[in-house]
Amino acid sequence: MAQEPCRPRRSVLYIPASNDKALAKIGALACDAVIIDLEDAVLPADKKAARDKIARILAGREKRCEMVVRINPLAGEWGADDLLAVAKAEPDGILLPKIGTPRDILEAGDLLDDNFAPDSVKLWAMVETPKALLNIGAIAELGRDPASRLACFVAGTNDLVKATGILATPDRRYMMPWLMQLVLAARAGGLDVIDGVANDFRDLDALARECADGAAMGFDGKSLIHPAQIEPANHAFSPSPEALARARAIRDAFARPENAGRGVIAMDGRMVERLHLAEAEKLLAKAIIIGA
């Protein structure tokens, strides 16, 4: 199977499926992806009406922005109906909440296959329970099998705080080991991984610090709750001019005739391997897509 194209996911904005005013603005947003939320942001009495709008919302989607729908838990009252209805609308992804084991991903994938959803409909997974973290390695391994459809993890940091009782500090120091574990598992499975939300959307300085920390930890982007958070996230998760310059230098150095076939070269007094070339080429490809 062909390798999936590189998709930037620097800024991933949640929009309630019940908020028509916010939904109408999707085409004007500068975020890389939108998650239309049928779960936490929609009251029980509004669940069915919100689900029924998904086909219309996705029919007018902007191809520039990746469109994902978060359904309700499959084991609950609305989840299975959500999955089947959303799959018919063919979003870029379906975000599964409250996963705990690989079986949760496999069951969702089986339902999609049984109902002839195209392979382009990927599965994203919320990692927001202690059980999911304990099983994260086995869940991530599904990313190596294209048939699983699994493409991306999203950290559910608010739910993790609630479930574990840890103190939520501004620097997230008590959550840091779990976040790093999540990044490690995602990389082992070849998956993208999105950091959790910053709850105070008015404090853009705090958001910028969280984004910088998330980028340094290896996250691909940040999940957001307000359009004002898009620009800081895009900035933090875009390659810096210095990183791009070094990536170009690595690419050009390996392209020289004298370095053909060499696995290791010296650059500016440092050893550079072909794994660094692969990283540089990936960074440059991302820069082209986002216009950096």
Side-chain angles (χ1 to χ4, degrees), residues 10 15 21 45 77 117 120 135 140 160 167 173 180-181 185 206 213 219 225-226 234 237 257 261 273 278 291:
R10 302 166 298 169
I15 298 180
K21 183 177 178 181
E77 178 181 353
S120 60
N135 292 315
L160 285 170
L167 180 64
R173 60 183 175 272
M180 294 302 301
Q181 182 184 6
D213 286 344
F219 281 95
I225 57 173
H226 192 278
N234 282 346
F237 290 96
E273 303 178 64

Side-chain angles (χ1 to χ4, degrees), residues 180-276:
M180 294 302 301
Q181 182 184 6
L182 180 55
V183 172
L184 187 66
R187 297 298 171 244
L191 301 167
D192 277 0
V193 57
I194 309 301
D195 196 3
V197 300
N199 294 312
D200 187 351
F201 59 83
R202 296 165 299 184
D203 191 344
L204 296 183
D205 289 336
L207 171 73
R209 289 192 295 272
E210 272 197 27
C211 287
D213 286 344
M217 282 189 280
F219 281 95
D220 294 289
K222 184 81 168 168
S223 48
L224 312 173
I225 57 173
H226 192 278
Q229 297 177 317
I230 294 173
E231 193 280 330
N234 282 346
H235 175 76
F237 290 96
S238 293
S240 68
E242 295 78 13
L244 288 174
R246 178 158 180 81
R248 294 188 188 100
I250 292 173
R251 178 196 61 191
D252 295 344
F254 273 102
R256 293 178 190 136
E258 64 268 26
N259 291 328
R262 296 182 65 182
V264 180
I265 63 174
M267 263 186 63
D268 301 324
R270 300 180 64 181
M271 180 185 74
V272 179
E273 303 178 64
R274 287 203 171 265
L275 64 89
H276 298 116

